[in-house]
Amino acid sequence: LRVSVIGAGPVGLALAKAISDAGHSLISISTTDPVRASQVETVLPGVQILPVVDAVTDVDLVIFAIPGDQIRDLVKGLVATESLNRGTLLVHTSADHGYEVFDEALGAGVVPMAIHPAMRFTGFSSIDRARLVDSYIAVDAPRAVLPVAQTLAIELGGEPVHVPSEARAKYAEAISVAGTFTSLIVGQAITLLEDAGIDKPRNLLGGIFRSSLEESLRTGVPEIDPAELFDGDNQ
């Protein structure tokens, strides 16, 4: 496939590298940020950096690696300018939406899909590329093309799991809770050890966090009200 990626943040850069590694032809990446454009030139030398309107022209697959709340307006603009080609696969990477975010473009004959890697991206393409191999990837698409979305997830290195539109809100909430509370708890524990003068607090905590997470995932835990964890003097 001839592929363009819209967005050169951590997600866009990692997926661009993964799609290239899978043997597809990465034609261009679209970004207006000079710092990110420089990163593209370093990680993927020779790939064109184009405006969105040019990036979506004459390609088979367009990956929208941008915040979910920006997708509809961008797609609406591309439809208004008749920039999308019939038969083009449109994929977004937002946890919050299914493929219906592309409804505005269905009249143009595009094929809509949603692919969200359930992982934390670092911005370091080599690390993110490696983590994709161990990740699950939430996919959604019309029934007839769902196997295409699943195949693409596998080519990116992950394990596809179907998350339909009606489950997206709870899925996105779960992803947000997992990421936010992990960062909060790790940060709080590191601060406590640093205040206590403990040497190498991150190394010390690595074992307990990894083992605790693995045990919690293995056994399951009862539902906890987050407010109970941070009330009163514990805030």
Side-chain angles (χ1 to χ4, degrees):
L1 298 176
R2 290 166 54 84
V3 184
S4 286
V5 177
I6 310 302
V11 178
L13 199 58
L15 295 190
K17 183 67 168 66
I19 206 75
S20 179
D21 290 346
H24 297 290
S25 298
L26 182 63
I27 304 301
S28 67
I29 295 181
S30 181
T31 180
T32 58
D33 186 326
V35 173
R36 290 181 173 174
S38 178
Q39 291 175 330
V40 171
E41 293 170 352
T42 299
V43 176
L44 296 162
V47 173
Q48 300 180 84
I49 299 174
L50 300 176
V52 174
V53 172
D54 296 326
V56 302
T57 302
D58 295 326
V59 293
D60 306 302
L61 168 65
V62 181
I63 299 176
F64 291 79
I66 58 177
D69 59 2
Q70 298 178 13
I71 298 172
R72 288 188 188 275
D73 287 343
L74 179 55
V75 170
K76 186 176 181 179
L78 293 174
V79 171
T81 57
E82 299 182 348
S83 301
L84 297 171
N85 298 322
R86 182 169 294 275
T88 303
L89 305 174
L90 300 188
V91 173
H92 75 79
T93 62
S94 170
D96 299 292
H97 304 284
Y99 65 86
E100 77 285 346
V101 76
F102 292 122
D103 282 353
E104 189 78 25
L106 294 181
V110 302
V111 180
M113 297 188 292
I115 292 179
H116 175 260
M119 56 173 275
R120 176 68 66 87
F121 287 83
T122 66
F124 295 97
S125 60
S126 59
I127 295 175
D128 292 335
R129 181 70 188 91
R131 287 181 177 175
L132 268 172
V133 176
D134 296 323
S135 72
Y136 276 77
I137 299 180
V139 300
D140 192 23
R143 183 181 298 273
V145 293
L146 184 58
V148 178
Q150 293 167 328
T151 299
L152 182 57
I154 293 170
E155 289 186 330
L156 292 173
E159 177 75 19
V161 55
H162 184 211
V163 179
S165 295
E166 59 269 22
R168 278 279 161 165
K170 288 189 179 296
Y171 169 78
E173 183 180 4
I175 294 297
S176 176
V177 167
T180 300
F181 276 88
T182 299
S183 297
L184 179 62
I185 293 168
V186 170
Q188 186 177 36
I190 289 173
T191 298
L192 288 170
L193 290 181
E194 287 177 339
D195 290 346
I198 304 299
D199 190 32
K200 298 181 179 179
R202 287 172 171 80
N203 294 346
L204 187 155
L205 290 169
I208 182 63
F209 276 120
R210 281 190 291 270
S211 59
S212 295
L213 177 58
E214 290 172 0
E215 185 64 12
S216 294
L217 290 172
R218 185 183 70 84
T219 62
V221 293
E223 185 173 348
I224 298 172
D225 183 354
E228 295 178 0
L229 298 177
F230 304 101
D231 61 353
D233 295 335
N234 293 323
Q235 289 187 346

